[in-house]
Amino acid sequence: MAAAMKADRCDIYTDVDGVYTTDPRIVPRARKLSKVTYEEMLELASVGAKVLQTRSVGLAMKENVRVRVLSSFEDGDTNDGHRGTLIVGEEEIDDMERQLITGIAHDKNEAKITLTQVSDRPGSVAAIFAPLANAGINVDMIVQNVAHSTGSTDVTFTVPSADLARSLDVLDKAKDAIGYATVVHDTRVAKVSVVGVGMRSHAGVASTMFTTLGERGINIQAIATSEIKVSVLIEEDYTELAVRVLHTAYGLDAEDAA
């Protein structure tokens, strides 16, 4: 509607007063962001941030509609320039406002599946993921291990926890076509992601993430990346610790927080 009416901005009222660098319930020193790019918000929403749905951000980006996230429970003038968070095009954020990392998100609704001794031949990976795709199951992280001397390899990937049972059923029915020995699954995992358009032009973002987690004894089980995102799969029990130490490592802590 905002695009059709050529509105200056679309205000979306929610139960939070804006987009934060991470979940304030986990990191009290999280800061509210004044501006976030469409791309960053899309990535944050896709990897666990609950502020906006990816579909709404995608539409805003396509139609170039500026969006402001506001709290339904706060009074005040919405035009004062200080309330909420603006989701805008990258050209609206100047270099002085831009940070290397914009935010850190986490998602505990992940399940890890490993197929052991998959035939190491052309087409074997397609035989795994084609049936899952046909069943409408979204696969996220994928790791193919080094081939064994027996001519086989192990393949690990993640799916939404809600799709685990259906995924196992699909894989069982396709076992002969795939040619694997066993299937192992684990729901005690979580995905932690760092997002920021600044990483396009800066090296060392992933290195900082891996080093920081390693120093706290947090093992990385899988990795996925995009141009402005690095995600890792870790043991669920370490989720909050990982978010806190990464938030500090990237200099996102609010200086005036209690």
Side-chain angles (χ1 to χ4, degrees):
M1 288 178 62
M5 296 170 63
K6 301 189 184 304
D8 292 334
R9 187 180 71 232
C10 175
D11 286 349
I12 298 180
Y13 288 85
T14 70
D15 58 349
V16 295
D17 61 347
V19 180
Y20 282 74
T21 49
T22 195
D23 189 339
R25 294 169 297 182
I26 295 177
V27 183
R29 298 178 70 88
R31 292 184 290 105
K32 187 176 72 173
L33 298 162
S34 60
K35 291 181 181 179
V36 179
T37 69
Y38 295 122
E39 289 180 277
E40 289 170 328
M41 195 66 243
L42 276 171
E43 290 283 18
L44 287 168
S46 69
V47 295
K50 309 298 183 186
V51 180
L52 293 174
Q53 292 183 326
T54 54
R55 178 63 174 159
S56 64
V57 183
L59 283 171
M61 182 177 179
K62 178 183 177 182
E63 301 296 337
N64 198 30
V65 174
R66 301 165 83 244
V67 175
R68 188 191 291 273
V69 179
L70 299 156
S71 171
S72 303
F73 307 103
E74 288 188 0
D75 295 325
D77 180 10
T78 60
N79 295 312
D80 61 6
H82 298 291
R83 287 190 60 201
T85 299
L86 269 175
I87 293 93
V88 295
E90 192 172 343
E91 66 280 357
E92 284 199 47
I93 302 179
D94 60 39
D95 291 338
M96 293 297 291
E97 296 177 291
R98 194 182 309 283
Q99 289 185 224
L100 175 60
I101 296 300
T102 297
I104 299 171
H106 70 283
D107 188 358
K108 294 184 178 181
N109 298 313
E110 295 275 324
K112 182 177 71 170
I113 298 175
T114 299
L115 301 182
T116 66
Q117 298 181 40
V118 177
S119 299
D120 188 22
R121 55 177 173 76
S124 59
V125 175
I128 297 172
F129 298 113
L132 293 171
N134 292 336
I137 298 170
N138 182 44
V139 175
D140 188 6
M141 300 178 169
I142 302 173
V143 177
Q144 182 171 347
N145 300 324
V146 177
H148 304 305
S149 58
T150 57
S152 64
T153 185
D154 298 337
V155 179
T156 299
F157 55 93
T158 62
V159 298
S161 296
D163 289 333
L164 176 59
R166 200 154 55 95
S167 299
L168 296 176
D169 181 60
V170 169
L171 293 169
D172 182 61
K173 291 177 179 177
K175 184 174 183 178
D176 291 340
I178 298 171
Y180 64 86
T182 60
V183 57
V184 181
H185 65 275
D186 186 1
T187 57
R188 302 182 305 276
V189 295
K191 178 171 62 177
V192 177
S193 308
V194 296
V195 175
V197 292
M199 68 175 69
R200 283 177 177 155
S201 55
H202 291 80
V205 172
S207 175
T208 297
M209 187 181 200
F210 304 155
T211 300
T212 301
L213 296 178
E215 289 174 347
R216 299 308 293 263
I218 301 173
N219 186 46
I220 297 172
Q221 302 179 24
I223 302 167
T225 65
S226 75
E227 191 177 21
I228 64 169
K229 175 199 72 183
V230 181
S231 297
V232 295
L233 192 71
I234 62 173
E235 188 177 332
E236 185 181 40
D237 291 345
Y238 290 102
T239 306
E240 285 76 15
L241 174 61
V243 171
R244 287 195 295 269
V245 298
L246 289 172
H247 197 267
T248 299
Y250 288 110
L252 297 176
D253 291 348
E255 294 180 2
D256 58 349

